Amino acid sequence: SGQVLSTDTGYRRDYNSDAYADYFANDATMFPVHRTRKEFPAKTWVLGVIAGGKAKAYPIEQLPDGKVVNDIVGGQQLRVAFHKAERRPEVRDASDAAVPAVMVFWFAWQAFYPGTEVWRR
């Protein structure tokens, strides 16, 4: 048996605290983002989906907890749900096949997909 992880690193640091607490507490990003859409604060969590060649962002705090939202993205019918307690997205198409989705900060999603649609409740 061996030791996999130790907090005895030789550095004075409190490893019992969240290293990113300050980052999540403000709207600043760690790196510059050249494309900036203003629909949401930069660090709003969105569920990003690409279907039929189109991108769409679903603000997680606007999605009803565990309930299905029916939508059309890129001509495809989708059923979108977010289970808040588990922080788990679920996106399915008309044939009930899983559609890839990602939880991501708004600033990153809109930078990669500047033409993204935005779902509103």
Side-chain angles (χ1 to χ4, degrees):
S1 94
Q3 189 172 12
V4 177
L5 181 64
S6 171
T7 57
D8 186 15
T9 63
Y11 293 94
R12 290 183 53 183
R13 180 178 181 142
D14 179 5
Y15 288 98
N16 294 316
S17 67
D18 182 354
Y20 291 99
D22 289 340
Y23 182 69
F24 289 118
N26 66 63
D27 215 30
T29 59
M30 288 183 183
F31 48 84
V33 179
H34 300 292
R35 296 186 186 122
T36 307
R37 288 178 44 178
K38 303 291 185 190
E39 287 97 324
F40 308 108
K43 291 184 187 165
T44 298
W45 283 105
V46 299
L47 179 61
V49 176
I50 299 174
K54 298 290 182 184
K56 192 156 190 175
Y58 297 82
I60 288 175
E61 60 190 36
Q62 292 182 20
L63 287 169
D65 188 10
K67 295 186 179 168
V68 171
V69 170
N70 292 302
D71 201 7
I72 297 175
V73 179
Q76 294 184 18
Q77 292 183 343
L78 299 181
R79 294 189 318 274
V80 179
F82 187 77
H83 307 276
K84 292 184 181 183
E86 304 159 15
R87 292 185 55 85
R88 180 176 57 88
E90 184 176 8
V91 182
R92 299 207 168 267
D93 65 15
S95 67
D96 204 36
V99 175
V102 62
M103 284 179 49
V104 62
F105 282 136
W106 169 243
F107 79 85
W109 184 258
Q110 61 83 42
F112 282 103
Y113 303 101
T116 190
E117 294 178 28
V118 174
W119 177 82
R120 301 275 187 185
R121 187 185 331 207

